[in-house]
Amino acid sequence: MEKFIKIGKIVKAQGIKGEVKVFPLTDDVSRFNALKNAFVGGKPFKVGYARPQRGEIVIKLSGIDDRNAAETLKGKFVEVERADAVPLSEGEYFIADLIGAVVFEGEKRLGTVKEILNYGASDIIVAECGGEAVMFPFLEKVIENIDVERGEIRLNGEEFAKIAVKENGEGY
């Protein structure tokens, strides 16, 4: 398992005091309120404060004291150590734990999870299946079981067939 969990992505510098604006990659944006330490680009930072702003989070990192320094962080992920991650509820998963999972329909191996996209209503799983990217929503009616320890995702074949699409927009 990954040592770090991505909780956000820096989208831009905010203001002139070294603040950065972060797009949250977590369902629980309140977790930023208690954030004391974070890693950006593998480098540790103390977090001075974090505040919500129009669906994003503004963060002040120690040692980043002007806009120029903040600009160098654009596009980097904000991460926390797994030990400092918020506890998950039943049926919740860290994206890092699903990347690389093998996707099955019954006993048939379909492919491997390459990424998970978030477009608001539902996360979208992108799996490499037979050399093609196949996308399907992260919904209970499509996913029958997730076993993080074994690195497996089992799908409801009927629902998957109705809803999955290839990268080019064709049905699977």
Side-chain angles (χ1 to χ4, degrees):
M1 287 191 178
E2 301 267 336
K3 180 180 177 182
F4 296 101
I5 302 293
K6 292 177 179 143
I7 62 168
K9 185 173 184 179
I10 297 174
V11 292
K12 68 179 191 171
Q14 174 71 25
I16 61 171
K17 297 179 182 176
E19 298 172 325
V20 292
K21 191 172 268 193
V22 176
F23 178 78
L25 299 175
T26 175
D27 292 337
D28 182 9
V29 294
S30 68
R31 71 118 33 246
F32 286 93
N33 297 336
L35 190 62
K36 301 292 180 220
N37 299 296
F39 292 80
V40 177
K43 183 179 176 187
F45 288 94
K46 294 274 185 212
V47 176
Y49 56 84
R51 68 176 189 276
Q53 187 179 67
R54 296 183 203 116
E56 295 174 315
I57 309 295
V58 174
I59 296 179
K60 177 66 174 96
L61 299 169
S62 63
I64 305 299
D65 297 320
D66 60 37
R67 185 173 187 88
N68 290 337
E71 287 285 349
T72 67
L73 302 177
K74 182 180 176 184
K76 295 185 179 182
F77 288 100
V78 178
E79 300 175 304
V80 295
E81 290 188 272
R82 183 176 287 273
D84 295 333
V86 295
L88 296 175
S89 299
E90 180 75 25
E92 293 182 329
Y93 306 92
F94 290 120
I95 290 173
D97 293 341
L98 300 179
I99 303 297
V102 179
V103 179
F104 289 92
E105 178 189 348
E107 295 304 313
K108 180 182 176 189
R109 182 185 197 278
L110 298 178
T112 306
V113 175
K114 295 299 178 195
E115 67 180 317
I116 299 178
L117 309 172
N118 183 292
Y119 292 112
S122 173
D123 288 339
I124 304 295
I125 296 175
V126 180
E128 180 77 23
C129 299
E132 293 185 280
V134 176
M135 298 178 281
F136 57 95
F138 193 104
L139 297 173
E140 285 184 23
K141 70 180 186 178
V142 177
I143 299 171
E144 290 182 343
N145 185 17
I146 296 175
D147 187 333
V148 172
E149 297 300 318
R150 294 181 66 173
E152 296 179 351
I153 297 176
R154 301 222 173 247
L155 304 177
N156 174 315
E158 187 176 311
E159 291 297 328
F160 174 73
K162 287 181 197 175
I163 207 160
V165 295
K166 295 178 185 176
E167 198 169 31
N168 64 9
E170 295 177 8
Y172 182 71

